[in-house]
Amino acid sequence: MSSLSIRVEPKYLSKKECLIKAREILDGDLIDMDEKELAREIYSHTRAFYWFKRFEKIPGPHLIVTRADPIDLQDGGDRWIMRLLFRIVWLICPGSR
């Protein structure tokens, strides 16, 4: 089972940039995931990181910030509940900065 970690970057607040990064990872055969699923995970981690970073001094948001970066990717993706959350974030959040 392959795994990979990437750092959160402001450019990943763009769905287009997340799709580009997903293609880059998949073209390098670095992980076995669907392109859209991978892009949604990158995007959701980045959204959570920057949104909760504003409240980082509070223990709950601080935990989310520390878990959002780096983005740990693994073959097949995260648990089903997290994949569902990533899909929801992808659908309801705006796609660019």
Side-chain angles (χ1 to χ4, degrees), residues 1-5 30-32 72-75:
M1 181 177 235
S2 296
S3 65
L4 169 74
S5 291
L30 300 174
I31 199 156
D32 182 24
D72 294 322
L73 305 167
Q74 61 186 12
D75 283 345

Side-chain angles (χ1 to χ4, degrees), residues 50-68:
Y50 286 110
W51 196 84
F52 284 102
K53 190 143 180 74
R54 299 178 296 172
F55 310 104
E56 190 173 25
K57 298 205 186 299
I58 303 169
H62 174 72
L63 178 64
I64 292 170
V65 168
T66 59
R67 300 227 30 215

Side-chain angles (χ1 to χ4, degrees), residues 9-46:
E9 296 182 35
K11 70 180 181 180
Y12 299 140
L13 290 171
S14 162
K15 292 177 183 177
K16 180 181 175 184
E17 289 295 328
C18 292
L19 287 165
I20 290 168
K21 184 63 176 178
R23 280 186 217 111
E24 178 185 307
I25 290 169
L26 294 172
D27 285 346
D29 290 327
L30 300 174
I31 199 156
D32 182 24
M33 282 178 76
D34 171 278
E35 179 181 307
K36 192 86 172 239
E37 185 177 46
L38 183 53
R40 287 191 298 250
E41 186 165 348
I42 294 167
Y43 180 74
S44 296
H45 272 261
T46 304

